[in-house]
């Protein structure tokens, strides 16, 4: 009876708990990567000391150069701020939905997170920060957005699930 309860109750619960933890860790790792890329793009577009951002260079992510790769960035002036919209080569002539338009709240780092559809209809995780290149008296606000494909996250999770459930199934069978 103990073996049957162990096999039918505890192993599935353990399996789903491990799967949940792994899924959450994979999603957090993806978000951390987006946050790092967002910081790099802000830094590289404002490091010249001017009041308008410039096209960031050498970001270190080659997927930003491949059209519709699932990895995108966009810089957009807000309000009366001068300048033009700049996008990664991967975005082509498309634009990203601005998370602040979706009424999402910012986190402790003032980053706004959202899940939207990308140019190819793929699910994207978006991170946005509003950056002021001016001062309090003459603000120049720009929206910086980085998006990464959630298909990447789903693939990592699926790769983990097969051996996990196989191992737990064999343990239950034993």
């Amino acid at each position: 009876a103990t073996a049957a309860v162990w096999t039918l109750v505890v192993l599935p619960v353990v399996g789903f708990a491990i799967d949940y933890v792994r899924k959450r860790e994979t999603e957090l790792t993806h978000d951390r990567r987006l946050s790092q890329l967002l910081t790099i793009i802000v830094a590289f577009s404002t490091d010249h000391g001017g009041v308008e951002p410039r096209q960031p260079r050498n970001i270190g992510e080659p997927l930003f150069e491949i059209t519709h790769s699932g990895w995108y960035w966009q810089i957009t002036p807000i309000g009366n701020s001068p300048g033009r919209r700049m996008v990664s080569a991967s975005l082509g002539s498309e634009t990203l939905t601005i998370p602040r338009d979706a009424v999402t709240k910012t986190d402790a780092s003032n980053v706004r997170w959202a899940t939207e559809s990308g140019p190819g209809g793929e699910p994207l995780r978006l991170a946005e920060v509003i950056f002021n290149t001016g001062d309090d008296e003459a603000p120049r606000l720009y929206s910086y957005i980085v998006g990464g494909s959630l298909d990447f996250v789903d693939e990592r999770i699926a790769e983990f699930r097969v051996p996990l459930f196989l191992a737990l199934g064999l343990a239950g069978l034993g």
Side-chain angles (χ1 to χ4, degrees):
T2 303
V5 168
W6 181 263
T7 302
L8 297 174
V9 176
V10 175
L11 282 180
V13 169
V14 167
F16 287 113
I18 292 170
D19 181 60
Y20 173 78
V21 169
R22 173 63 177 172
K23 181 178 187 236
R24 187 71 186 126
E25 180 58 31
T26 303
E27 291 169 344
L28 288 173
T29 300
H30 189 63
D31 283 357
R32 277 193 294 273
R33 177 69 176 141
L34 290 174
S35 183
Q36 290 168 347
L37 290 168
L38 187 59
T39 300
I40 290 168
I41 290 168
V42 169
F44 285 4
S45 70
T46 59
D47 66 354
H48 63 289
V51 292
E52 286 183 43
R54 66 175 178 195
Q55 188 87 7
R57 61 195 189 306
N58 194 21
I59 295 168
E61 179 53 70
L63 290 173
F64 286 136
E65 303 302 319
I66 301 170
T67 304
H68 294 178
S69 65
W71 290 84
Y72 312 105
W73 62 261
Q74 173 177 293
I75 302 170
T76 308
I78 297 174
N80 295 328
S81 299
R84 59 182 170 74
R85 179 182 308 220
M86 292 177 271
V87 298
S88 61
S90 58
L91 202 49
S93 61
E94 305 283 338
T95 58
L96 296 173
T97 301
I98 299 173
R100 66 184 152 74
D101 291 344
V103 192
T104 56
K105 297 186 191 268
T106 60
D107 66 10
S109 303
N110 287 325
V111 175
R112 218 176 285 277
W113 296 94
T115 301
E116 300 286 340
S117 293
E122 76 277 22
L124 292 180
R125 180 73 165 152
L126 298 176
E128 178 195 39
V129 68
I130 305 301
F131 190 78
N132 183 3
T133 61
D135 54 31
D136 290 339
E137 309 225 350
R140 294 174 182 253
L141 301 176
Y142 296 88
S143 163
Y144 285 79
I145 301 175
V146 172
S149 174
L150 286 175
D151 290 340
F152 174 80
V153 173
D154 294 339
E155 289 169 9
R156 299 294 82 72
I157 293 167
E159 288 172 0
F160 179 76
R161 281 183 178 155
V162 171
L164 171 66
F165 291 135
L166 182 63
L168 290 174
L170 288 174
L173 184 62

